[in-house]
Amino acid sequence: MDKLLIQGGKPLRGGVRIAGSKNAALPILAATLLAEQPVTIANLPHLQDVTTMVELLGCIGVDLTVGEKLTVEADANAIVHCSAPYELVKNMRAAVLVLGPLLARFGRARVWFAGGALSGARPVNLHLRGLEAMGARIHQSGGYIEARVEGRLRGARIVMDQVTVGGTENIMMAATLAQGQTVIENAAREPEIVDLAQCLIAMGARIRGHGSATLVIDGVTSLGGCTYEVMPDRIETGTYLAAAAATRGKVLLRNTCPANMAAVLRKLEEAGACLEAGDDWIALDMAARRPRAVSLTTEPYPGFPTDLQAQFMAMNALAQGTATVTETVIADRLGQAHELQRMGADIVVSGNVATIVGQDSLRGTAVMASDLRASAGLVIAGLAAHGKTRISGIHHIDRGYERIEEKLQILGADIRRVGSRSS
Ligand code: UD1
């Protein structure tokens, strides 16, 4: 297993280009299953999860042409299976996003799902309930979710019990080909939902209200081809900004979208960062100052994103003052606190609240990444710490960050990837 080795203590300085959004790319790739003509998706990030989703489409029978500059053309006209098998999707929860499109277009779908679909750590009960309201019959056996519908799905009024990004996406995609109108109340408002809706609209779907809590979808009988460019990754953007703040650096991030990042930029300003932004760039300058502690609570968009909570906890571990970080979106997501403590951080976790007393410095040591965003928090701590940090379990980070060590090297960090034997 590879590891990341970081010799910390150097402020990040310089400019990098932000990749396409993973969380927009995955549903948009799933949406290509709905189209009767080829769909070309551009600005895909080069990530393990995107490769897995492309492989999954190939396994289902989509004819794929991978072009230059991270472009994929998907032609879903020769689908042979409506099934997403265990071997391919065991490590990617987002595979469940093919359920709605396959069901809407072919009347049946079978997807392997990790954990309990109805009551596991991160269930998909709300996806299934929405599809059932549209006429699907769903049952689970041997780890698979199986869904069927006679004829077409029917439009319905669906009130989501809880804001769910994936649930909103699955139901919105299914509704594009349903008979009649679907209204989704308490829909997620994330920019990635808006990106997916715009792609579906380019394919011929009739969708209103994307970006608000009420989505209205008028079903059509078929969708066609289009060319669509995936939005920039706001989580990658926020990660590099937090890393620059923690190391007292100065960075310029290009090909990003500041308009999607208001809650995050506000917190960085509160931390003492000097920010400038244009339509597609953000510059951050700490003027060599230590960040100030910033308390935050994660919330669905437009609130502060759970996917940046671990990175801001790492920044707070080095900040001046005391902060609380409250996680309200995803249960048990403060796991990085334990590894940060091993680096000298002063963090007390009680339930879903972490209290962090900022330290002058952290010390590098061997730490273990436990999930994608937790590992980004450890990288930030390692970049700012004194001495050498060795991070194992970095397959997690490769799921969400394109060429992370190369980009950080461009920003002046002393970071490299090593195989376990050479570490
Ligand atoms: C997406 C993002 C993920 C992010 C999360 C929250 C992708 C590929 N992933 O995940 O990076 O952390 O949004 O912003 O876009 N829930 C239920 N029942 C359901 C569905 C969700 O109880 O049927 C709960 C979940 O357990 C969780 C909360 O709702 O506590 C939010 O989950 P959700 O928004 O669905 O997250 P994902 O779409 O899986």
Side-chain angles (χ1 to χ4, degrees):
M1 282 289 198
D2 287 358
K3 295 184 169 132
L4 283 177
L5 276 190
I6 306 173
Q7 183 68 44
K10 290 174 115 184
L12 294 188
R13 288 191 169 275
V16 286
R17 180 187 180 282
I18 294 301
S21 159
K22 168 179 90 74
N23 286 354
L26 296 175
I28 286 174
L29 283 167
T32 63
L33 289 165
L34 292 160
E36 290 183 7
Q37 282 136 20
V39 175
T40 301
I41 308 297
N43 200 33
L44 287 168
H46 204 263
L47 297 173
Q48 187 54 52
D49 275 8
V50 170
T51 307
T52 305
M53 184 60 96
V54 169
E55 275 179 33
L56 171 57
L57 294 180
C59 163
I60 290 172
V62 177
D63 194 4
L64 295 157
T65 312
V66 179
E68 284 179 12
K69 294 196 179 163
L70 306 168
T71 296
V72 167
E73 183 188 285
D75 183 349
N77 258 324
I79 301 288
V80 282
H81 313 285
C82 288
S83 179
Y86 165 79
E87 305 75 51
L88 254 183
V89 306
K90 59 180 189 272
N91 293 323
M92 193 182 64
R93 183 187 150 70
V96 76
L97 293 172
V98 301
L99 194 68
L102 284 176
L103 183 65
R105 176 129 182 250
F106 304 101
R108 62 185 201 284
R110 184 170 181 266
V111 179
W112 194 85
F113 187 74
L118 298 181
S119 62
R122 283 177 68 182
V124 287
N125 57 318
L126 302 175
H127 302 223
L128 305 189
R129 202 183 294 167
L131 296 173
E132 278 171 342
M134 297 169 76
R137 280 178 291 109
I138 295 179
H139 76 275
Q140 295 179 70
S141 70
Y144 281 86
I145 302 170
E146 299 194 3
R148 280 186 176 269
V149 64
E150 295 302 329
R152 286 170 70 189
L153 290 167
R154 294 184 301 278
R157 179 167 175 271
I158 298 163
V159 182
M160 306 299 283
D161 278 356
Q162 195 176 334
V163 177
T164 149
V165 176
T168 303
E169 291 166 347
N170 231 338
I171 296 166
M172 174 166 72
M173 289 190 279
T176 59
L177 290 181
Q179 200 160 19
Q181 187 175 79
T182 300
V183 178
I184 310 175
E185 306 271 16
N186 198 23
R189 291 180 282 168
E190 267 63 6
E192 292 77 11
I193 303 269
V194 175
D195 212 36
L196 172 63
Q198 282 168 349
C199 178
L200 291 166
I201 289 167
M203 288 159 62
R206 294 177 56 204
I207 302 175
R208 284 178 282 135
H210 39 298
S212 81
T214 304
L215 272 169
V216 182
I217 304 120
D218 288 298
V220 296
T221 49
S222 67
L223 293 176
C226 74
T227 296
Y228 194 79
E229 186 168 327
V230 173
M231 65 177 268
D233 197 311
R234 64 193 170 100
I235 305 305
E236 189 194 26
T237 305
T239 300
Y240 284 105
L241 292 174
T247 58
R248 311 181 189 189
K250 179 178 178 181
V251 293
L252 169 65
L253 306 181
R254 291 186 298 270
N255 290 79
T256 187
C257 182
N260 290 334
M261 305 215 36
V264 175
L265 298 183
R266 240 188 343 262
K267 286 293 161 193
L268 287 162
E269 271 177 346
E270 215 179 303
C274 175
L275 292 169
E276 272 184 82
D279 282 350
D280 64 352
W281 59 269
I282 303 177
L284 175 145
D285 187 358
M286 289 303 285
R289 283 190 305 267
R290 184 178 172 194
R292 288 193 292 269
V294 285
S295 292
L296 58 95
T297 299
T298 64
E299 282 165 2
Y301 192 84
F304 189 92
T306 174
D307 286 351
L308 285 172
Q309 174 262 106
Q311 299 86 321
F312 274 66
M313 181 186 286
M315 184 189 82
N316 274 322
L318 285 147
Q320 201 155 22
T322 299
T324 55
V325 167
T326 308
E327 174 59 64
T328 72
V329 177
I330 294 185
D332 298 329
R333 221 191 198 188
L334 297 171
Q336 74 282 357
H338 180 66
E339 297 300 291
L340 292 173
Q341 281 160 349
R342 293 176 5 85
M343 297 177 74
D346 180 345
I347 305 175
V348 176
V349 176
S350 171
N352 66 335
V353 182
T355 304
I356 305 131
V357 182
Q359 304 296 299
D360 276 340
S361 64
L362 298 179
R363 52 174 189 276
T365 186
V367 288
M368 169 71 95
S370 56
D371 74 31
L372 167 55
R373 305 305 171 185
S375 52
L378 296 180
V379 170
I380 292 176
L383 291 170
H386 285 312
K388 195 195 276 183
T389 298
R390 196 172 66 222
I391 306 179
S392 46
I394 60 166
H395 55 285
H396 291 296
I397 210 161
D398 292 332
R399 288 187 40 226
Y401 292 91
E402 187 182 87
R403 299 172 20 242
I404 189 162
E405 69 272 26
E406 280 176 45
K407 286 188 180 179
L408 287 170
Q409 282 160 7
I410 290 168
L411 295 174
D414 183 345
I415 179 171
R416 65 198 165 93
R417 184 180 292 250
V418 291
S420 51
R421 288 210 184 120
S422 51
S423 63

